[in-house]
Amino acid sequence: MTLKVGVIGTGNIGADHVRRLASQVSGVRVTAVFDVATARAAQIAQGVGAVAHGSWTALVDDPDVAAVVIASPGPLHAEQVLACIEAGKLVLCEKPLATTGQDALMVVAAEVAFGRRLVQVGFMRRYDRAYRVVKAAIDDGSIGEPLLAHMVHRNASVPDSFSSDMAMTDSVIHEIDTVRWLFGQEVVATTVVASRPSPQAAAGLRDPQLVLFELADGAVVDVEVFVNCQYGYDVRCEIVGSTGTVSMDNPSTNSLRRGGQLIESVPADWRVRFDTAYLDELQQWVHGLAAGVVGGPSAWDGYAAAVVANCAVQALADGARTKVTMVDRPSLYA
Ligand code: NAD
Ligand code: ISE
């Protein structure tokens, strides 16, 4: 059976998801799209034989849409996911599930009230092959007990609309989910320090920042987030265990040996670095739904990440170690 999908938001990643779903993922058809940029949405819809709706609510209500991919700006996600749950539609919501823990909790509560999982959150690193090697090395005991992690998240640049808070709610939110997934632990406290701003950062942007996460079992993780590093997209990590370490570098795409130097390229952006991860994420989502299974990162994972991101924003504002407070995990997400 073919899954009929509607896509809300056809900007950078939404357009990529439409293209992947239409041409690379099996068992699925894009039947509808919506974007407030109507001309672009109409063009994208025409390219894949989909309907361009006049509003996102019309897309959610469309009987020809069984599942919705949400790729609108983060602050809109919670309201759109809630409407999908109310309509009983399956959802793959790009990260973040919500920009506040309170909004994410409303999604969790609605899904719990619905009685079964409908929502997956687009934490695509869980599908990335290099991250999966790191996860396997932790899970099979290759490095002993995981104690520490060092992580780097650098973007070449961001638009002027990108705020200091977004360094946590939009960028480090990936590390928050990665850490929870790799260690199987919740984050219990955060400390954040900003360096003097890079001269390339827009006025008022705190960039770069250093984040410390303390986990429930006592492990500790540091993350550097630097969203104006200029030279490319650089996402790396090293997990330090009691008997060894496992690390993940950016896979270089080419190398050049010349004039006594070895020059390696760095991916330009997340599109290049995680291209296969997005594809695997979408294909596994579609395969799972065909088998009646909603797997992958859940609304609970989206909630936990949002709460920790909010806590990190607060920690920077207060200049103090800040404890994370979460509700108890509902049994739906056991
Ligand atoms: P973008 O600005 O390129 O695209 C967002 C689109 O949403 C725009 O086309 C905009 O016109 C549209 N939009 C605005 N208001 C809308 C509304 N009310 N309803 C529907 N659409 C509306 O942004 P982007 O980079 O594509 O990011 C979109 C989302 O995807 C964000 O949540 C972002 O965090 C996430 N994202 C995830 C990854 C990843 O690695 N998983 C990478 C990039 C972006
Ligand atoms: C963007 O929204 C993403 O999700 C990218 O993966 C991340 O690297 C970037 O910092 C975010 O803004």
Side-chain angles (χ1 to χ4, degrees):
M1 210 176 78
T2 302
L3 181 72
K4 293 177 177 175
V5 171
V7 179
I8 301 178
T10 51
N12 289 319
I13 201 161
D16 282 358
H17 284 337
V18 169
R19 175 182 47 77
R20 286 188 192 96
L21 288 166
S23 60
Q24 292 177 280
V25 177
S26 61
V28 65
R29 190 155 66 85
V30 179
T31 52
V33 301
F34 170 72
D35 194 298
V36 287
T38 50
R40 182 173 157 84
Q43 192 185 20
I44 287 174
Q46 195 184 18
V48 298
V51 172
H53 279 292
S55 68
W56 66 262
T57 50
L59 182 147
V60 172
D61 292 339
D62 184 345
D64 213 28
V65 168
V68 180
V69 171
I70 297 177
S72 56
L76 304 177
H77 290 180
E79 185 190 6
Q80 294 174 342
V81 177
L82 283 168
C84 291
I85 294 173
E86 202 180 328
K89 303 262 163 123
L90 298 149
V91 191
L92 175 56
C93 178
E94 259 308 333
K95 44 62 60 177
L97 176 63
T99 48
T100 69
Q102 295 95 304
D103 283 356
L105 187 56
M106 284 167 60
V107 174
V108 165
E111 197 177 41
V112 167
F114 188 80
R116 65 181 163 85
R117 276 193 62 188
L118 293 172
V119 180
Q120 177 171 331
V121 180
F123 287 126
M124 79 300 176
R125 290 186 183 183
R126 296 189 186 203
Y127 298 86
D128 180 67
R129 290 161 198 190
Y131 271 112
R132 289 176 87 96
V133 171
V134 173
K135 171 80 171 144
I138 295 172
D139 289 352
D140 70 14
S142 296
I143 63 166
E145 293 182 26
L147 304 173
L148 297 171
H150 309 292
M151 299 189 167
V152 171
H153 187 154
R154 298 187 190 139
N155 294 101
S157 62
V158 286
D160 285 353
S161 55
F162 196 94
S163 66
S164 302
D165 292 3
M166 286 173 73
M168 300 302 141
T169 59
D170 202 62
S171 298
V172 172
I173 197 131
H174 281 295
E175 272 71 23
I176 297 169
D177 182 66
T178 303
V179 162
R180 294 181 62 255
W181 171 62
L182 290 176
F183 283 76
Q185 296 288 317
E186 293 297 355
V187 177
V188 295
T190 70
T191 308
V192 182
V193 181
S195 116
R196 72 184 173 87
S198 159
Q200 267 70 42
L205 182 64
R206 312 289 301 270
D207 186 49
Q209 300 184 35
L210 280 180
V211 188
L212 205 65
F213 291 127
E214 296 169 48
L215 308 191
D217 71 351
V220 178
V221 177
D222 62 77
V223 182
E224 174 207 307
V225 58
F226 185 13
V227 296
N228 282 285
C229 81
Q230 305 296 304
Y231 66 83
Y233 189 67
D234 205 359
V235 166
R236 290 181 267 134
C237 73
E238 180 184 23
I239 315 299
V240 181
S242 53
T243 60
T245 77
V246 57
S247 64
M248 189 207 72
D249 208 332
N250 246 318
S252 63
T253 41
N254 294 97
S255 63
L256 173 68
R257 288 172 168 80
R258 190 179 61 184
Q261 287 184 315
L262 170 59
I263 301 164
E264 289 197 350
S265 58
V266 175
D269 57 20
W270 42 267
R271 272 199 178 92
V272 179
R273 168 63 185 85
F274 289 110
D275 183 45
T276 309
Y278 298 123
L279 182 57
D280 290 349
E281 171 191 56
L282 289 170
Q283 186 64 78
Q284 288 183 41
W285 178 60
V286 171
H287 275 162
L289 297 187
V293 177
V294 181
S298 66
W300 173 260
D301 295 314
Y303 161 74
V307 170
V308 175
N310 289 172
C311 186
V313 169
Q314 196 60 47
L316 179 64
D318 294 348
R321 174 179 182 271
T322 306
K323 287 189 180 171
V324 176
T325 310
M326 282 187 211
V327 300
D328 291 336
R329 185 194 289 244
S331 57
L332 181 64
Y333 309 106

